[in-house]
Amino acid sequence: MTELELQPLLGIDDTFPETVYLLSHPSSSRYGCYCHNGVHGLACFSSEAGAFRFAEWIDLSGMSTLEVTFDQAREIAKGRPMPIVALMLLDRMDDPLIHYVR
């Protein structure tokens, strides 16, 4: 009898960090968002540097980073108008980690 070899599924251990960075525009109450494969979500990053790099794509001056807990980021995403339905960790923009909030 051969021994069963168990291998982990790729990406199954991917989780959101306890704190994330968002892009915020305080005077207009806007946040940086992203659309991936038709899913619209609040963009978040595990590092402030990642958030700043993403800010270069946004045509709105005065954006700043905001460090929040994962739970706070979920609540902010829930409070965004449709079509925002998720919180997206964009450390790998071609393969974001998506957490649906509605």
Side-chain angles (χ1 to χ4, degrees), residues 9-23:
L9 294 173
L10 289 178
I12 200 158
D13 290 331
D14 289 344
T15 59
F16 278 78
E18 290 183 29
T19 60
V20 294
Y21 292 88
L22 308 176
L23 285 171

Side-chain angles (χ1 to χ4, degrees), residues 27-100:
S27 63
S28 68
S29 298
R30 291 182 175 180
Y31 291 88
C33 294
Y34 189 69
C35 180
H36 178 74
N37 291 338
V39 176
H40 295 263
L42 176 68
C44 71
F45 304 86
S46 62
S47 72
E48 190 173 33
F52 279 129
R53 282 191 301 275
F54 185 71
E56 294 172 358
W57 292 25
I58 298 176
D59 189 24
L60 184 62
S61 62
M63 296 295 284
S64 61
T65 59
L66 179 65
E67 183 180 12
V68 297
T69 66
F70 171 75
D71 289 335
Q72 289 170 321
R74 284 186 75 241
E75 291 305 313
I76 292 169
K78 286 180 185 179
R80 298 289 80 208
M82 291 300 281
I84 303 301
V85 297
L87 177 64
M88 292 186 177
L89 183 65
L90 295 178
D91 291 347
R92 294 183 317 229
M93 290 188 67
D94 61 333
D95 187 25
L97 187 57
I98 300 173
H99 174 82
Y100 290 92

